[in-house]
Amino acid sequence: MEDKKKDLLRRLTIISIPFVFVAIPSIVIFVGMLSPHAAGPKVAVASPEQNHTVGMLSTMTGGQMILSCRAAFAGNWEYFHYFILDPYKPQHAFFQPQTDHYAILCKWGYMGNFLQDVVVFNSSEPYAKLCAVNAGGCRYLFQDGQMFLVTGRHATKAAPWQHREKKLIGDVLLRDCKHILGIFPTMCHYTKHDHQYVGKIISRWSWWFNY
Ligand SMILES: *[C@@H]1O[C@H](CO)[C@@H](O)[C@H](O)[C@H]1NC(C)=O
Ligand SMILES: *[C@@H]1O[C@H](CO)[C@@H](O)[C@H](O)[C@H]1NC(C)=O
């Protein structure tokens, strides 16, 4: 009698395993799919004038360049985007500025050199309208220790009025380090630069996070 009970219990357990691990989750997923909450967040499509883009391209081959950006507006700020740039591989991100005073500021890093408050969008500056997707967007080029803003598009036969502009923003921080005989600590000095740095020097890196 005892044995029969045990056997029945064992059978019930075996039968219930697929139910617990397959049937119940399936029902939960299925019901979830039917419920309006599972429809996924709908991203409203912005008008072409509202939709903006910033692009980044580094042609400096010493290593990856990193940018961690946040948006500041109405006395507040929120995480925007990060870029990890391999040389010659452009990346871009989209955004829709909601207020009149909207700026995007980045931390910048390259080979152990760090800057903060590198402004890549400022709605109060004349170039802001060129960052709209339909105007071609704002593209930042890091080349030979300098940061450029590239806007517009090359003129074409169909659109001869278009023009592309490349404007110097300033210099990025670079250090020259020497290992003397391998016994003394590495000697570093900032390399000579002709223009203002594009941001403020910081000694350590930390990311802006999305939380
Ligand atoms: C902004 O434009 C890009 C490229 O055209 C598009 O993929 C993206 O969905 C647009 N974003 C919004 C919010 O409309
Ligand atoms: C944006 O531009 C305005 C006007 O030039 C300036 O007063 C403001 O400080 C700028 N904001 C940032 C974050 O650079």
Side-chain angles (χ1 to χ4, degrees), residues 42 53 78 84 86 91-92 141 167 172 186 191 196 198 209 211:
K42 275 215 180 67
T53 179
E78 67 181 13
I84 299 177
D86 285 313
Q91 287 181 23
H92 59 274
L141 172 65
K167 191 176 142 242
V172 293
T186 308
T191 51
Q196 260 193 326
V198 296
F209 284 114
Y211 58 59

Side-chain angles (χ1 to χ4, degrees), residues 70-91:
R70 62 180 190 168
F73 53 94
N76 214 330
W77 67 269
E78 67 181 13
Y79 171 79
F80 171 54
H81 195 78
Y82 72 82
F83 302 88
I84 299 177
L85 299 174
D86 285 313
Y88 292 99
K89 291 200 179 141
Q91 287 181 23

Side-chain angles (χ1 to χ4, degrees), residues 61-138:
T61 52
Q64 286 177 323
M65 188 174 283
I66 49 181
L67 289 129
S68 179
C69 307
R70 62 180 190 168
F73 53 94
N76 214 330
W77 67 269
E78 67 181 13
Y79 171 79
F80 171 54
H81 195 78
Y82 72 82
F83 302 88
I84 299 177
L85 299 174
D86 285 313
Y88 292 99
K89 291 200 179 141
Q91 287 181 23
H92 59 274
F94 297 100
F95 61 100
Q96 294 81 40
Q98 303 296 324
T99 64
D100 288 342
H101 297 284
Y102 189 96
I104 296 177
L105 299 101
C106 304
K107 292 186 192 179
W108 171 94
Y110 176 75
M111 296 183 79
N113 303 291
F114 308 113
L115 295 171
Q116 70 177 9
D117 296 342
V118 179
V119 178
V120 298
F121 181 78
N122 182 344
S123 62
S124 307
E125 294 282 345
Y127 72 81
K129 60 184 189 299
L130 300 171
C131 300
V133 169
N134 61 350
C138 288

